[in-house]
Amino acid sequence: MSRYLVLITLSEDYRNQPIPQGLQEEMGQFLDENLKSGVLIDTGGLEPTSEATRVRLSRGKVTVTDGPFTESKEVVGGYVLVQLQSKQEAIDLATRFMDIHRRQWPELEAACEIRRIEGEESAAPASVSGSEAASS
């Protein structure tokens, strides 16, 4: 099993639009289903960039800039952390996620970027037997 981080990018002005009730209901069912099955580890929306701070390293200098970041056309608006057998399963889950949005909020423009967490071959911690623990 591997963990995948799905970054949800969209235009920041989506916050000025009301979220359709149907989307809230169907997304709630989708998240519940994936939480109960153990696929969904965590999910959340992010505050607007007006509340963000960017710490950047460039040409040997570290700078701190408070938002909003007007140069950003798309922002990360949320994330989903999942545990799945394969990248294809992560793609399938993200496709279902976006299809819910397509049906319930058709004017929304958004994307999901799927990234496997580096070095993740198994999200489950290795178990240590009593004899192994005693010999360490």
Side-chain angles (χ1 to χ4, degrees):
M1 294 274 269
S2 293
R3 291 185 301 169
Y4 293 86
L5 181 63
V6 181
L7 300 169
I8 304 151
T9 58
L10 34 75
S11 168
E12 183 131 47
D13 68 357
Y14 84 95
R15 292 182 180 280
N16 300 328
Q17 303 169 26
I19 298 173
Q21 183 65 32
L23 176 62
Q24 293 178 21
E25 292 168 3
E26 190 171 352
M27 189 55 60
Q29 293 170 355
F30 175 78
L31 294 175
D32 269 354
E33 167 192 324
N34 285 289
L35 188 60
K36 287 177 183 172
S37 72
V39 166
L40 178 62
I41 298 170
D42 193 24
T43 187
L46 302 178
E47 290 187 345
T49 62
S50 60
E51 301 296 321
T53 300
R54 183 177 289 160
V55 180
R56 179 184 305 258
L57 171 63
S58 177
R59 297 185 178 148
K61 281 182 69 176
V62 176
T63 58
V64 178
T65 308
D66 289 330
F69 309 116
T70 55
E71 72 278 6
S72 300
K73 292 185 180 188
E74 284 189 338
V75 298
V76 177
Y79 69 94
V80 180
L81 181 61
V82 294
Q83 180 172 285
L84 295 162
Q85 293 289 338
S86 68
K87 184 175 183 180
Q88 185 58 54
E89 285 185 3
I91 292 168
D92 294 345
L93 184 120
T95 301
R96 285 184 55 211
F97 178 89
M98 293 304 284
D99 197 50
I100 292 169
H101 285 78
R102 180 191 59 79
R103 286 192 313 276
Q104 299 294 340
W105 198 356
E107 58 277 358
L108 180 69
E109 299 279 330
C112 287
E113 180 178 328
I114 302 163
R115 309 273 302 267
R116 187 168 74 90
I117 296 180
E118 194 169 39
E120 284 287 319
E121 303 221 357
S122 175
S127 63
V128 177
S129 71
S131 62
E132 291 171 331
S135 65
S136 334

